Amino acid sequence: MDFTSISTEMLETPKIAEVLHSVSFQDHLSAVYLDEAHSVYESASWFLGPEIPLVALSATFPQRYCDVLVIYAGLHPDYYLINLGNFRPELSTIVKRMQHSASSFLDLGFVTKLAEQQTMIIYCDDLQMLTDMFWWIYKQLACANLPVTWLDILHAGLSDIHQRQCITGVSEGCIKILLGSEKIGSGMDFPLVGLIVQYQCHGLSIVQWEQRRDQGARSKGTSAVGVILVEKSMNGEASDSPTVKNPKSQDIAFLDLIQTNQCLQRCTDKWLENPPCTDDNPCHSCTNCNPQLVQLTDHYTFVPESTPKLSQHRISDSNVQKIYDALSQW
């Protein structure tokens, strides 16, 4: 049996479409196996046609994503669904509200100490913010006398050579802190990642977050923690903040995840339509059930309660003259 492997992006090109929809090619085609099929929901810009057998695979596949596959990818409406869920007991989740301005990066003060122990990926979808973050962490590493070579950045605007070197560096453990955006997505496999941080979450969906968190603990016997640092405009308390009742343009499922006070794993299972994964209550793997988890992200800067003021005494003019005369005589 022959296999032809292409990326989903290639399906959008005219040349591939011409081959895919030709009768001679389809006569030899048993099925199209579409991995990371949730990506169709995000692009929704190509169409295979119902005459082509389609097998779609994804770890995050709620009903609305299946519906999009029917509309845009040609998945047959009476498709057969095997739903195993995406529960991984080795992954924990921390949702923490930012205490400082996002541009100060002070909420990331915990990453340098953890870099000595494990490899981490920090996601930020604002490329300018991501670049500024790079230089801020660079300075933190230098001030802590830690190797600045532990830090690197990966996004689509960088050269192919740099991207390959960056991926190799993380896989080999040479790069401990990797900053990135959607470029670090489905299909990438880093075996050593123990911490995944999402810095700001405006515009993010629960499927995107789960795919990012899934980068952790890819090696047998390891565990990882996913941290969502929620900016003040998304925490549900500000007057103009989106909420589950009024999501505005945000993903309602992700808003529920970052604003709920219930179990985060149960919230994820609800919105991803996963089968029940555990009867444990609390689950011990999220900050709502196990508040002590948030201590991982604590960072303290110690300052004196009060700074003593130095007393100031002005020398009188007569004493100045006496000092001057004494120095001249000397």
Side-chain angles (χ1 to χ4, degrees):
M1 182 181 292
D2 294 329
F3 292 88
T4 301
S5 176
I6 60 175
S7 66
T8 52
E9 291 81 6
M10 292 177 64
L11 289 171
E12 301 177 354
T13 62
K15 290 293 185 182
I16 294 296
E18 184 178 344
V19 173
L20 191 61
H21 290 277
S22 67
V23 176
S24 59
F25 181 79
Q26 291 184 15
D27 286 342
H28 295 85
L29 184 64
S30 62
V32 171
Y33 291 80
L34 179 60
D35 196 12
E36 309 296 354
H38 58 271
S39 60
V40 178
Y41 185 91
E42 276 117 32
S43 62
S45 59
W46 47 275
F47 185 72
L48 295 178
E51 70 280 1
I52 300 176
L54 180 64
V55 179
L57 303 98
S58 175
T60 49
F61 223 26
Q63 183 63 50
R64 62 186 186 279
Y65 280 65
C66 295
D67 294 341
V68 165
L69 273 179
V70 173
I71 297 171
Y72 290 99
L75 183 67
H76 204 277
D78 62 351
Y79 60 83
Y80 182 76
L81 177 66
I82 301 175
N83 184 4
L84 301 179
N86 73 330
F87 174 64
R88 295 178 60 198
E90 65 271 25
L91 296 180
S92 300
T93 304
I94 295 173
V95 173
K96 184 177 182 180
R97 295 180 177 181
M98 288 187 180
Q99 304 298 311
H100 307 279
S101 166
S103 59
S104 73
F105 304 113
L106 293 176
D107 288 288
L108 288 172
F110 63 93
V111 301
T112 50
K113 67 175 181 180
L114 292 180
E116 300 182 66
Q117 308 165 22
Q118 57 194 343
T119 301
M120 67 186 70
I121 299 175
I122 304 178
Y123 287 94
C124 181
D125 295 293
D126 182 332
L127 293 188
Q128 183 58 55
M129 182 78 73
L130 194 68
T131 303
D132 295 341
M133 183 193 299
F134 175 90
W135 292 113
W136 185 85
I137 297 178
Y138 185 98
K139 292 178 182 177
Q140 301 303 306
L141 290 172
C143 291
N145 293 319
L146 295 173
V148 294
T149 54
W150 282 0
L151 175 67
D152 213 331
I153 187 171
L154 179 62
H155 60 74
L158 300 172
S159 68
D160 291 340
I161 294 176
H162 175 87
Q163 293 181 35
R164 286 194 296 270
Q165 291 175 341
C166 189
I167 293 172
T168 300
V170 176
S171 299
E172 295 178 350
C174 301
I175 296 173
K176 308 285 285 183
I177 305 175
L178 178 62
L179 311 185
S181 59
E182 73 280 354
K183 180 65 179 179
I184 310 175
S186 305
M188 287 192 175
D189 188 11
F190 299 111
L192 303 175
V193 175
L195 181 67
I196 303 94
V197 180
Q198 176 65 46
Y199 193 76
Q200 298 185 300
C201 47
H202 184 275
L204 202 67
S205 70
I206 195 169
V207 166
Q208 288 173 311
W209 161 245
E210 280 297 304
Q211 289 289 333
R212 293 177 178 186
R213 189 180 71 125
D214 193 52
Q215 291 289 350
R218 292 292 184 94
S219 298
K220 186 177 180 179
T222 61
S223 61
V225 180
V227 180
I228 306 174
L229 294 176
V230 183
E231 62 270 40
K232 294 179 181 179
S233 62
M234 290 286 288
N235 65 20
E237 293 185 351
S239 58
D240 59 344
S241 175
T243 62
V244 173
K245 292 183 178 180
N246 183 20
K248 299 182 179 179
S249 60
Q250 302 302 309
D251 179 50
I252 187 172
F254 189 69
L255 286 175
D256 193 17
L257 181 70
I258 63 176
Q259 295 177 5
T260 186
N261 58 3
Q262 303 298 313
C263 175
L264 300 180
Q265 183 58 54
R266 292 179 184 271
C267 180
T268 299
D269 289 340
K270 176 183 71 173
W271 289 105
L272 293 184
E273 300 165 21
N274 291 333
C277 61
T278 177
D279 292 329
D280 292 342
N281 191 13
C283 72
H284 304 295
S285 62
C286 77
T287 42
N288 286 351
C289 296
N290 183 10
Q292 291 184 343
L293 279 174
V294 80
Q295 294 178 4
L296 182 74
T297 63
D298 287 342
H299 175 70
Y300 301 101
T301 301
F302 295 96
V303 296
E305 292 183 1
S306 61
T307 303
K309 295 183 179 179
L310 298 176
S311 58
Q312 296 181 351
H313 300 282
R314 185 178 182 276
I315 303 176
S316 64
D317 292 341
S318 59
N319 286 335
V320 170
Q321 186 61 46
K322 290 178 181 179
I323 294 171
Y324 177 76
D325 293 341
L327 287 173
S328 298
Q329 184 179 359
W330 177 74

